[in-house]
Amino acid sequence: EPEVTQTPSHQVTQMGQEVILRCVPISNHLYFYWYRQILGQKVEFLVSFYNNEISEKSEIFDDQFSVERPDGSNFTLKIRSTKLEDSAMYFCASETGRYIANTGELFFGEGSRLTVL
Amino acid sequence: GQNIDQPTEMTATEGAIVQINCTYQTSGFNGLFWYQQHAGEAPTFLSYNVLDGLEEKGRFSSFLSRSKGYSYLLLKELQMKDSASYLCAVLTGGFKTIFGAGTRLFVKA
């Protein structure tokens, strides 16, 4: 069964360092998302991406964050200068597209746990 | 503002039925989802409602009332493996699904 894959599964970094989290969405999906979940808290929307541009972003997604789809398969989240409060599980998700039969169900990757020291 | 409320925790007995409620107030509405999340894992899709009424899918059913901003997830014949967090989520517009804090369900023998 096709799945969303994320790398790395766990990354430890020093405050102020740049981090790139990588995702390979399901191949025929058209909508891509990043969410984060701080330990013990809710899943928070960061950004959505469609047709090679950001569709919507949250207030969390400030200038320190950026997303890119550098080729036909990868979807990356970059944090330019990490802060302690960026420590969280980051989930990539993808969605097939908005056809009549499509529900908007999100398919999540297993997550990348980021620890900022 | 955007608000999705659900109980923090519930406990139920194996074999029983449990109902998890969710109320929402969002700036847009294009559908309501329930996801299951086991500890340390990613959310997985359970159900979707966009029209009022009940959707049934095996042991799981979900109900929606758009006028009341209310949904529930009903789990029947509870099994130990159903111990997890259940997340209510709303597709608020074209490209943004927001999640409630989740209800942690404990199933006891």
Side-chain angles (χ1 to χ4, degrees):
Chain A
E1 188 173 319
E3 59 181 20
V4 177
T5 57
Q6 290 187 240
T7 54
S9 55
H10 190 190
Q11 180 152 359
V12 181
T13 191
Q14 295 290 326
M15 196 168 54
Q17 295 296 303
E18 177 183 284
V19 156
I20 297 176
L21 305 178
R22 291 183 167 80
C23 170
V24 180
I26 295 172
S27 63
N28 63 342
H29 284 193
L30 300 177
Y31 295 74
F32 313 111
Y33 305 84
W34 284 100
Y35 284 83
R36 79 170 186 193
Q37 188 173 32
I38 295 169
L39 190 63
Q41 297 187 25
K42 68 178 179 181
V43 175
E44 297 177 289
F45 171 82
L46 291 178
V47 67
S48 57
F49 194 86
Y50 170 68
N51 204 24
N52 284 318
E53 60 183 24
I54 290 174
S55 308
E56 198 159 349
K57 58 185 181 180
S58 72
E59 56 278 1
I60 301 168
F61 195 89
D62 61 21
D63 293 343
Q64 293 300 311
F65 291 88
S66 62
V67 288
E68 210 176 32
R69 189 154 161 83
D71 51 43
S73 58
N74 290 284
F75 179 50
T76 62
L77 175 70
K78 183 194 287 187
I79 309 175
R80 281 189 188 77
S81 177
T82 49
K83 308 186 200 77
L84 295 176
E85 54 265 35
D86 294 328
S87 294
M89 181 73 92
Y90 287 81
F91 290 109
C92 174
S94 68
E95 184 194 336
T96 55
R98 300 299 167 81
Y99 313 115
I100 292 170
N102 179 40
T103 66
E105 170 192 350
L106 297 176
F107 293 79
F108 284 87
E110 289 300 310
S112 293
R113 180 165 295 287
L114 177 65
T115 303
V116 182
L117 302 176
Chain B
Q2 317 265 49
N3 212 39
I4 300 176
D5 289 315
Q6 45 183 136
T8 307
E9 281 186 7
M10 298 182 73
T11 301
T13 306
E14 199 175 13
I17 299 173
V18 72
Q19 178 174 312
I20 302 173
N21 295 323
C22 169
T23 56
Y24 64 90
Q25 285 179 302
T26 56
S27 55
F29 181 86
N30 280 319
L32 187 138
F33 300 82
W34 286 94
Y35 286 83
Q36 181 190 61
Q37 187 179 29
H38 284 101
E41 297 184 10
T44 55
F45 171 79
L46 287 178
S47 71
Y48 168 73
N49 296 71
V50 68
L51 301 175
D52 290 353
L54 189 69
E55 293 284 339
E56 296 188 78
K57 208 176 179 184
R59 293 190 301 116
F60 297 82
S61 306
S62 56
F63 171 83
L64 175 67
S65 167
R66 288 171 299 169
S67 62
K68 293 190 168 84
Y70 167 71
S71 173
Y72 68 72
L73 179 71
L74 197 71
L75 293 81
K76 301 175 197 167
E77 300 165 21
L78 278 173
Q79 302 173 9
M80 300 298 287
K81 67 178 183 179
D82 297 329
S83 292
S85 288
Y86 291 86
L87 316 182
C88 177
V90 173
L91 178 58
T92 61
F95 303 98
K96 186 176 181 179
T97 299
I98 61 169
F99 286 78
T103 298
R104 215 173 338 163
L105 175 66
F106 298 95
V107 180
K108 57 183 185 178

